[in-house]
Amino acid sequence: MAGVTGDHYFTAEPSTPAQPREVQFTVAGRDYALASSAGVFSATRLDPGTAVLLRKAELPGPATTGALLDLGCGFGPITGVLATVAPAATVWAVDVNERARELTASNAARLGVGDQVRVAAPDEVPADLEFAQLWSNPPIRVGKDELHQLLRRWLPRLAPDGVAWLVVARHLGGDSLQRWLVEQGWQVERHASQKGFRVLRITR
Ligand SMILES: C[S@@+](CC[C@H](N)C(=O)[O-])C[C@H]1O[C@@H](n2cnc3c(N)ncnc32)[C@H](O)[C@@H]1O
């Protein structure tokens, strides 16, 4: 999403002036209202791919414990939902975009789940931390090589019985990403397909 300043949503420090916005959506019967801003991904509405992911994947629940990863958290919609529905879990919200991290932290506080959420730049995540679940609407626009590198970095951090949920638009390569993941040795199930998006369930 290049703006007049040349920023992309994955720019580390967006130079686009912050324009406060609010994004409202409903997941699993609960209404959310989160702050967003220019300079972050899908600042004006819940991204349709993220909506499909949160509607179709198996959300964690009250019995879920351990660390969950929201890879590429943006302003934090996935983090907010995960922390709300899984109060015994810790959610690590990771993004390269500083403004996205700030918004996610303030949204977690606003939802009353700030104590459960750790917002971090990728290199700030402790190296020995294993994730019970990884959730992502990954940054396809960074290009295939960089996307593969991102997944090669984070998927191996799943616990042995961990599960990853990804949403990818079919026209942006959802099916070829699925094939690539299988080639890398992952078990990949096309869990759901809706509105042109694939929800992939990935395990060891
Ligand atoms: C498609 S957006 C999804 C944002 C948010 N989860 C949502 O659903 O609205 C992908 C996010 O990944 C972030 N990102 C890009 N490269 C990354 C990297 N190497 N590590 C972590 N996050 C990255 C972008 O800044 C962006 O916020």
Side-chain angles (χ1 to χ4, degrees), residues 107-132:
N107 281 323
R110 178 172 172 171
L111 290 169
V113 295
D115 290 352
Q116 272 169 267
V117 173
R118 312 275 180 274
V119 179
D123 289 343
E124 294 168 349
V125 178
D128 56 352
L129 189 63
E130 276 193 338
F131 295 101

Side-chain angles (χ1 to χ4, degrees), residues 51-65:
V52 170
L53 178 70
L54 293 171
R55 190 181 309 128
K56 292 291 186 183
E58 288 160 19
L59 290 171
T64 307
T65 55

Side-chain angles (χ1 to χ4, degrees), residues 9-10 41 50 71-74 77-78 94-97 122 137-139 150:
Y9 66 76
F10 45 86
F41 176 77
T50 302
L71 178 57
C73 61
I78 297 175
V94 172
D95 207 295
V96 289
N97 180 323
N137 177 354
L150 182 75

